[in-house]
Amino acid sequence: MRSAEADALTELEREVGTPGSGLDRLRLMPTPFVPEVRLHLAEDAIVWWARMEATAGHALPAPYWASAWAGGQALARHLLDHPELVAGRRVLDLAAGSGLVAIAAALAGAAEVIANDIDPYAVAAVTLNARANHVAVDATGDDLLDSTEPKVDLVVAGDVFYDRAMADRMLPFLQRTAAAGADVLVGDPGRGHLPADRLAVLADYPVPTTEPSVDSSLRHVQVLRPA
């Protein structure tokens, strides 16, 4: 583990080990749509972020890992309900955030699970969350999107088409991965940058969400694969 990731892990371990409650705390809780998986989530991610930045005295990455995003919840539910998709296979959870989908893959019987996110705090959160769910997940902070295809059997990616710049990097990587023979599954709640003409819908779910600043407690989420 790199020094930034190790420092983040130490910080999050201190956070979850400190008694207390309130909007600026992390709490280990069942994921709304995937109660088989427990995650360390923020009561209010924005409030938690503000406290941590004030304590650190400098800017910190937005804690996307501290909320259960709808696309990831749908993917995790899909894997647990269809374990044949992952059983005995090597799985990469791309832009893993909390590690929810990676943990679901491990619980569904994957032979090896890698959770990738460029945020050191996300890598740390994956480590804590995998530990809490008693599964083995290899968390890594490398930027994989310009790399050659990963040596895995299945790539899963939730909530990755949230802006044009990310979509323009993510789609070619997923297409290269699929062309190399790996399966690809995407979870998306209609964020606006999904290339619908290049993806086929496999399932859709009404997903309860803990996302900050949303106007509904449910999101309509599709699970898709390259067409």
Side-chain angles (χ1 to χ4, degrees):
M1 182 175 286
R2 296 173 180 173
S3 60
E5 295 159 5
D7 291 345
L9 179 58
T10 298
E11 196 168 345
L12 292 190
E13 286 176 330
R14 183 169 56 248
E15 277 288 296
V16 302
T18 300
S21 60
L23 293 179
D24 66 339
R25 304 300 305 177
L26 298 176
R27 183 163 65 91
L28 183 63
M29 64 183 81
T31 309
F33 199 54
V34 197
E36 300 95 322
V37 178
R38 297 190 303 160
L39 299 174
H40 291 94
L41 302 177
E43 293 283 353
D44 186 308
I46 303 302
V47 175
W48 183 87
W49 187 20
R51 177 174 65 80
M52 294 299 289
E53 286 195 324
T55 300
H58 57 80
L60 296 173
Y64 296 119
W65 54 267
S67 300
W69 299 91
Q73 289 198 69
L75 270 178
R77 180 77 272 149
H78 195 71
L79 296 185
L80 287 170
D81 290 347
H82 302 277
E84 69 279 3
L85 295 172
V86 297
R89 308 183 80 193
R90 297 164 297 168
V91 179
L92 168 64
D93 180 9
L94 196 59
S98 66
L100 169 59
V101 187
I103 292 166
L107 290 172
E112 179 184 357
V113 183
I114 302 166
N116 173 252
D117 201 293
I118 61 173
D119 178 4
Y121 284 88
V123 174
V126 169
T127 301
L128 284 181
N129 290 330
R131 188 184 302 167
N133 288 276
H134 310 291
V135 295
V137 174
D138 180 15
T140 173
D142 296 331
D143 186 341
L144 301 180
L145 294 185
D146 295 323
S147 67
T148 57
E149 298 73 39
K151 300 299 188 289
V152 295
D153 304 305
L154 172 66
V155 174
V156 289
D159 301 284
V160 294
F161 293 103
Y162 53 83
D163 65 26
R164 174 53 57 195
M166 177 56 78
D168 287 346
R169 294 192 69 209
M170 183 64 65
L171 184 60
F173 177 85
L174 295 178
Q175 289 177 321
R176 291 197 309 272
T177 300
D183 291 329
V184 173
L185 293 177
V186 171
D188 189 85
R191 295 192 183 278
H193 299 282
L194 183 77
D197 59 331
R198 302 186 192 181
L199 297 168
V201 177
L202 295 179
D204 56 76
Y205 300 93
V207 178
T209 180
T210 68
E211 300 171 30
S213 305
V214 295
D215 55 8
S216 173
S217 60
L218 285 176
R219 300 289 296 269
H220 176 76
V221 184
Q222 294 179 327
V223 174
L224 312 100
R225 65 182 177 194

